Amino acid sequence: MKTLVAGWFSFELMGASAGDLLARDVACAWLREAGHDLDIALAAPFTGGVDWRSASPADYAQVVFVCGPFGNGPPLTDFLERFRNVPLVGLNLTMLDTLEAWNPFDILIERDSSARAHPDLAFLAPPARVPLVGVVLIDSQPEYKRRDRHETANAALRRLVAARDVAAVPIDTRLDTQNQAGLASAAQIESLLARMDCVVTTRLHGAVLALKNGVPALALDPVAGGAKIRRQLETLGWPVVFNADTLDDNAMAAAFDWCLSEEARQEAARCAARASRVLAQARVEFFEALAQRGRLRGARA
């Protein structure tokens, strides 16, 4: 007979969190290590398990309920009633009632209760890491009028990121209106960009600030034919820039993979160093021009 593993991930819209799933995975690993076959009770949007409402209690030697607050009320009371004749184990639970008042478990190893407390089971879950990807999009560019393809470009980048197992972080670089990401200064924006593994962007400064900090940027120029983003990245020698009117999803997917490589990080650092060298000469030119006021007047005339 099997063991049924349940938790808040077994009920729709009941707040199942990342911690619930990590604790569940630890519990399942323990059960398998002990030689148990098991089913996992899952509800939408989670898939691949069984529905506890239709699962037969007679199929299970025990039920293990994992993680979260546990109190004497629906939907838990419905669950308990269905499996009332099956031994019940509670693991990593916060018991909302005192154990003297209510404890439906045959075995309870709680996270915390009126009797004792343990560290949360998620501490034992193997560290899970996916790339952090900054998503820096522009909303419109009226200065380019009929050449503006920002909606097409933004949709392509959202599609690209959605197809990968990455943590997408929306980053708004605009500061003259209410910042959509809650950022209030250039330093806050740059600090966030600098911590990304890569950036996908339809904004010039999304690419510039990423590369400045050694972060690879997949840039998509939202202006038909290319405009300031393409010109800037060609000037820097950065190879990953696309045009909105000649989109190629396969090419962008390959470029995205490259942007997550160590080679791309090294190239981003080289681009930043190259930019600093060129701008050092621009600084000299600027000061020389300031020192020659007559030259300035002549240029203006």
Side-chain angles (χ1 to χ4, degrees):
M1 295 177 70
K2 294 182 177 181
T3 294
L4 179 66
V5 177
W8 288 113
F9 42 82
S10 308
F11 305 85
E12 291 187 30
L13 300 176
M14 290 301 293
S17 70
D20 292 318
L21 300 187
L22 293 174
R24 177 202 67 191
D25 292 346
V26 172
C28 289
W30 285 359
L31 287 164
R32 292 187 180 104
E33 186 179 355
H36 288 242
D37 292 329
L38 53 90
D39 285 336
I40 302 174
L42 295 176
F46 309 112
T47 60
V50 300
D51 186 337
W52 65 266
R53 295 166 298 183
S54 57
S56 172
D59 291 341
Y60 300 105
Q62 60 190 340
V63 173
V64 178
F65 198 100
V66 184
C67 198
F70 201 94
N72 189 4
L76 292 178
T77 45
D78 298 331
F79 178 86
L80 295 174
E81 174 60 24
R82 180 165 184 80
F83 294 96
R84 63 186 180 276
N85 295 321
V86 183
L88 183 64
V89 178
L91 184 61
N92 202 56
L93 302 175
T94 290
M95 299 301 292
L96 300 180
D97 297 285
T98 66
L99 297 187
E100 295 76 17
W102 185 71
N103 178 8
F105 294 101
D106 299 290
I107 299 173
L108 176 63
I109 304 174
E110 64 271 64
R111 181 171 58 196
D112 56 274
S113 72
S114 59
R116 60 179 182 169
H118 292 94
D120 190 275
L121 210 57
F123 275 106
L124 293 182
R129 300 289 185 270
V130 297
L132 287 175
V133 177
V135 182
V136 187
L137 306 179
I138 198 164
D139 51 2
S140 65
Q141 296 188 98
E143 64 269 29
Y144 291 105
K145 298 180 181 179
R146 295 180 181 177
R147 295 174 61 204
D148 185 3
R149 304 287 189 275
H150 76 274
E151 291 183 358
T152 299
N154 289 347
L157 292 186
R158 291 191 181 101
R159 190 165 62 244
L160 176 68
V161 171
R164 305 302 177 96
D165 185 15
V166 300
V169 182
I171 303 174
D172 187 0
T173 60
R174 188 169 178 176
L175 288 171
D176 64 332
T177 59
Q178 181 65 40
N179 190 287
Q180 296 176 9
L183 303 170
S185 71
Q188 292 176 14
I189 290 168
E190 187 167 356
S191 295
L192 189 54
L193 285 166
R195 285 163 174 76
M196 298 296 108
D197 293 305
C198 80
V199 168
V200 298
T201 185
T202 52
R203 276 193 175 275
L204 183 144
H205 283 112
V208 166
L209 294 178
L211 295 174
K212 174 189 173 184
N213 289 279
V215 177
L218 190 156
L220 178 51
D221 197 318
V223 179
K228 61 186 179 183
I229 294 178
R230 172 164 288 282
R231 183 67 182 274
Q232 176 67 198
L233 295 186
E234 288 176 346
T235 299
L236 294 172
W238 179 248
V240 187
V241 57
F242 297 88
N243 287 2
D245 55 333
T246 56
L247 285 174
D248 184 331
D249 283 355
N250 291 331
M252 286 203 301
F256 186 73
D257 290 340
W258 182 77
C259 282
L260 291 172
S261 70
E262 181 57 31
E263 179 187 358
R265 294 194 75 85
Q266 293 174 2
E267 184 60 31
R270 283 192 288 269
C271 280
R274 189 179 304 124
S276 294
R277 289 194 301 270
V278 174
L279 290 173
Q281 181 56 43
R283 176 178 179 273
V284 171
E285 183 180 342
F286 179 70
F287 281 121
E288 287 178 348
L290 291 177
Q292 300 176 30
R293 298 188 64 184
R295 174 183 169 187
L296 288 174
R297 285 193 295 269
R300 185 174 182 180

